Amino acid sequence: MKAAIAKLLKRRRRALNRTAGCRSRCRKSRRRKRRTWLRVYYYYAQGDGVKRSFWNEDATPGYKSRIPARGKLLLANVFVDGMLQAPELYHIAHGGIQFQSDQPPPVDSRIIAQFIVMRP
């Protein structure tokens, strides 16, 4: 008699465990997934040895390059001749990059800026 009761209880526990697992899996699949939309923008320009401010109009023609608004900006990387610049050396405004170092970018140097922006 005790063996029969133990067997029934064991079966019942297994059934409960199976349904509990399914419930949690089903609940997980019903959850709405949050998507974060990120967009990457690039800006290409050429240094002339004099200018310290570069605007959207100064971009190298032929590239779809622009400087996004600062409010939506998550990350910005600025490269001068392939060297990553420290954030203290430049300031990003809407539509422009201003270098704050003592020396402007050298003549014929490539200025590449990478921006990661969050979209709604």
Side-chain angles (χ1 to χ4, degrees):
M1 180 83 172
K2 287 183 182 180
I5 294 172
K7 203 178 215 182
L8 287 172
L9 288 174
K10 192 174 183 181
R11 283 185 191 161
R12 184 170 174 130
R13 272 190 234 125
R14 277 190 204 152
L16 286 174
N17 286 340
R18 276 191 218 127
T19 57
C22 178
R23 285 182 194 151
S24 66
R25 270 186 268 130
C26 295
R27 202 175 311 130
K28 285 180 186 174
S29 66
R30 277 186 261 147
R31 288 184 195 158
R32 188 170 180 218
K33 295 181 181 178
R34 292 177 113 188
R35 290 188 176 153
T36 306
W37 298 97
L38 299 177
R39 178 98 190 221
V40 179
Y41 293 101
Y42 291 96
Y43 174 78
Y44 301 96
Q46 192 99 20
D48 62 357
V50 178
K51 270 198 315 194
R52 287 193 183 141
S53 298
F54 295 89
W55 301 96
N56 281 330
E57 298 82 36
D58 300 325
T60 305
Y63 294 100
K64 290 184 178 179
S65 59
R66 73 181 193 102
I67 300 170
R70 181 142 174 90
K72 297 179 181 180
L73 197 63
L74 289 180
L75 179 70
N77 293 321
V78 177
F79 300 89
V80 176
D81 279 337
M83 298 294 294
L84 180 64
Q85 302 297 305
E88 296 85 27
L89 295 178
Y90 60 88
H91 175 73
I92 298 170
H94 181 70
I97 299 174
Q98 183 176 18
F99 287 96
Q100 297 177 348
S101 61
D102 297 338
Q103 302 170 349
V107 177
D108 292 333
S109 62
R110 290 187 176 186
I111 299 163
I112 302 171
Q114 176 189 38
F115 304 102
I116 299 176
V117 176
M118 184 184 302
R119 288 181 18 193

